[in-house]
Amino acid sequence: MLEVGKKAPSFTAVNQNNEKVKLADLTGKNGLVLYFYPRDMTPGCTTEACDFRDNFNRLKKLGFNVVGISKDNPKSHTKFIEKQELNFDLISDETGEICEKYGIWREKVFMGRRALGIVRSTFLLDPNLKIKKIYDPVKVKGHVDEILKDIQELFGK
């Protein structure tokens, strides 16, 4: 299990443009908001992505980049970005390797059925990729506001 104060697990994956990206290349001047979500185009994931989109400039001004990760393929990410006019990268983790490293691929219960899936989670990282805060599980409503508040408290921004 990941802990606050530990270095975030590194990874290399592809974004929506099928370009190889490394975790170390994704951080902003002051840090990174790395969020995991279950699936492109679903209601909760769309609400969450649009909230990050609408607050992206506020986060950028504070020196933070935003990156979303799901098991969807790059083509699905591209459609999601275009449809919702997202202004940040989405990483494809089709194998689930990144989800495993971050401990968010777990058993979930949905409508009485148990199944493995991505537990909606966010990791707030400093510029050295140390974990400053873990949000797990995430409630979509008010999540980005909570992150902005925590950035002010944890980073003095």
Side-chain angles (χ1 to χ4, degrees), residues 33-58:
V33 176
L34 185 66
Y35 83 98
F36 291 82
Y37 64 98
R39 192 142 189 195
D40 292 341
M41 308 289 188
T42 57
C45 298
T46 298
T47 299
E48 184 178 29
C50 290
D51 203 11
F52 277 117
R53 175 200 66 204
D54 295 346
N55 287 285
F56 183 76
N57 287 335
R58 288 174 70 197

Side-chain angles (χ1 to χ4, degrees), residues 12 21 36 48 57 62 81 84 87 93 114 121 130 134 136:
T12 301
V21 293
F36 291 82
E48 184 178 29
N57 287 335
L62 295 171
I81 287 170
Q84 301 305 328
N87 46 6
D93 181 28
R114 294 182 180 278
S121 308
K130 282 206 172 133
I134 300 171
D136 177 0

Side-chain angles (χ1 to χ4, degrees), residues 1-9 30-36 52 64 102 104 121-127 129-138 142-155:
M1 188 74 174
L2 296 178
E3 297 175 24
V4 170
K6 301 268 182 179
K7 195 141 177 135
N30 295 318
L32 175 65
V33 176
L34 185 66
Y35 83 98
F36 291 82
F52 277 117
F64 285 80
Y102 280 78
I104 56 91
S121 308
T122 301
F123 296 83
L124 183 58
L125 308 178
D126 74 10
L129 303 175
K130 282 206 172 133
I131 300 169
K132 297 297 277 184
K133 179 121 188 200
I134 300 171
Y135 307 84
D136 177 0
V138 164
H143 181 51
V144 176
D145 288 336
E146 182 183 11
I147 292 169
L148 285 161
K149 184 176 143 274
D150 289 339
I151 286 171
Q152 289 176 333
E153 288 176 14
L154 295 167
F155 296 87

